[in-house]
């Protein structure tokens, strides 16, 4: 009987140790998941910022190219005038040199803008690829409208999409629509978002709500 009690005590100690290890592992998982969500949201914001920057740079490049074309046209006209009016060759030569110098400056500026645009697009591509692997994606649906799509939420269907759209009105008010699957309490969460303006927290909360739906 004493030997049986000793065995039972050993088994009990082993079970307690396993339970403590499970609790520790669960806490570590929760911390890692929180950091994962924060990283994914930061990457989404960075990608959005890079998209906006790339668009601005592209617009600048287009304007610089237009200016380059205008300068080249002016340069061509000056060259024709120089050939047709020998008495004004010296004056036209001076103007031509100035136009050439201006064109070179504009071309350098265009090259610089194009390099910036290429870099921005490359960085955006890297960012998009990375945060897509984390299960978060977004699409612009027009001015001030963003659709966020989560995957990697349902263990039984990792590719299942959980989506919602966010619109910012002219009064800078957030409006949340098209929540799929539906989540209870979205109106209250949106009111809190407009009070705090903490969009990252709102996105993390929406992800938790989607996770809760799957767990039910």
């Amino acid at each position: 009987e004493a030997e049986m009690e000793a065995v039972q005590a050993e088994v009990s100690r082993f079970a307690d140790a396993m339970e403590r290890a499970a609790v520790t592992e669960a806490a570590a998982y929760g911390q890692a998941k929180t950091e994962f969500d924060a990283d994914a949201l930061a990457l989404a914001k960075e990608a959005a910022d890079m998209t906006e920057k790339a668009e601005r740079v592209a617009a600048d490049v287009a304007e610089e190219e237009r200016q380059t074309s205008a300068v080249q046209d002016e340069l061509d006209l000056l060259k024709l005038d120089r050939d047709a009016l020998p008495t004004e060759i010296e004056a036209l030569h001076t103007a031509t040199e100035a136009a050439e110098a201006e064109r070179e400056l504009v071309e350098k500026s265009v090259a610089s803008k194009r390099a910036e645009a290429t870099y921005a697009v490359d960085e955006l591509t890297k960012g998009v690829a990375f945060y897509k692997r984390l299960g978060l994606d977004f699409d612009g649906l027009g001015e001030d409208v963003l659709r966020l799509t989560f995957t990697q939420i349902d263990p039984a269907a990792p590719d299942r999409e959980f989506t919602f759209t966010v619109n910012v009105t002219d009064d800078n008010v957030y409006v949340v629509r098209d929540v799929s699957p539906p989540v209870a309490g979205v109106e209250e969460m949106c009111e809190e978002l407009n009070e705090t303006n903490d969009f990252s927290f709102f996105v993390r909360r929406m992800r938790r709500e989607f996770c809760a739906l799957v767990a039910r």
Side-chain angles (χ1 to χ4, degrees):
E1 182 177 351
E3 183 178 354
M4 178 63 68
E5 291 177 352
V7 170
Q8 291 177 344
E10 183 64 27
V11 170
S12 178
R13 285 193 296 273
F14 176 76
D16 289 342
M18 292 296 291
E19 182 178 357
R20 287 193 298 272
V23 170
T24 300
E25 183 177 353
Y29 172 80
Q31 178 64 27
K33 184 176 180 298
T34 298
E35 294 175 356
F36 169 89
D37 290 343
D39 290 344
L41 289 168
L43 283 170
K45 183 179 184 303
E46 181 180 351
D49 292 341
M50 287 189 291
T51 298
E52 181 180 354
K53 180 180 178 182
E55 291 174 350
R56 290 198 304 268
V57 171
D60 290 343
V61 168
E63 177 60 21
E64 295 289 358
E65 288 178 343
R66 187 193 66 78
Q67 293 180 14
T68 299
S69 178
V71 171
Q72 184 62 55
D73 292 343
E74 181 181 355
L75 178 60
D76 292 341
L77 289 174
L78 288 172
K79 288 181 177 179
L80 289 174
D81 290 342
R82 183 190 62 184
D83 295 338
L85 302 171
T87 58
E88 299 180 4
I89 287 180
E90 188 61 31
L92 289 174
H93 180 69
T94 301
T96 300
E97 288 182 344
E100 289 279 7
E102 182 180 357
R103 182 173 63 84
E104 290 179 0
L105 289 175
V106 173
E107 287 181 345
K108 289 180 180 178
S109 178
V110 169
S112 176
K113 294 293 185 180
R114 185 176 289 112
E116 290 181 11
T118 300
Y119 175 78
V121 170
D122 288 345
E123 290 299 307
L124 175 60
T125 301
K126 293 177 183 176
V128 168
F130 184 74
Y131 69 72
K132 279 187 176 180
R133 289 199 298 271
L134 298 180
L136 174 63
D137 196 3
F138 66 92
D139 297 292
L141 303 182
E143 186 175 359
D144 297 327
V145 180
L146 186 68
R147 179 175 64 194
L148 284 83
T149 302
F150 292 106
T151 55
Q152 309 301 323
I153 288 181
D154 188 346
D159 293 331
R160 178 185 175 188
E161 294 186 348
F162 297 75
T163 65
F164 63 94
T165 62
V166 179
N167 169 245
V168 182
T169 68
D170 293 338
D171 298 327
N172 291 324
V173 175
Y174 290 100
V175 180
V176 179
R177 298 189 178 95
D178 305 321
V179 181
S180 176
V183 171
V186 171
E187 294 80 3
E188 292 78 6
M189 294 164 57
C190 189
E191 289 179 3
E192 182 177 345
L193 169 62
N194 283 297
E195 291 174 359
T196 64
N197 201 36
D198 191 343
F199 186 71
S200 296
F201 175 77
F202 174 77
V203 174
R204 292 197 302 272
R205 188 172 178 184
M206 286 295 295
R207 190 179 191 281
R208 287 198 298 269
E209 292 297 330
F210 284 140
C211 289
L213 287 176
V214 174
R216 291 172 188 167

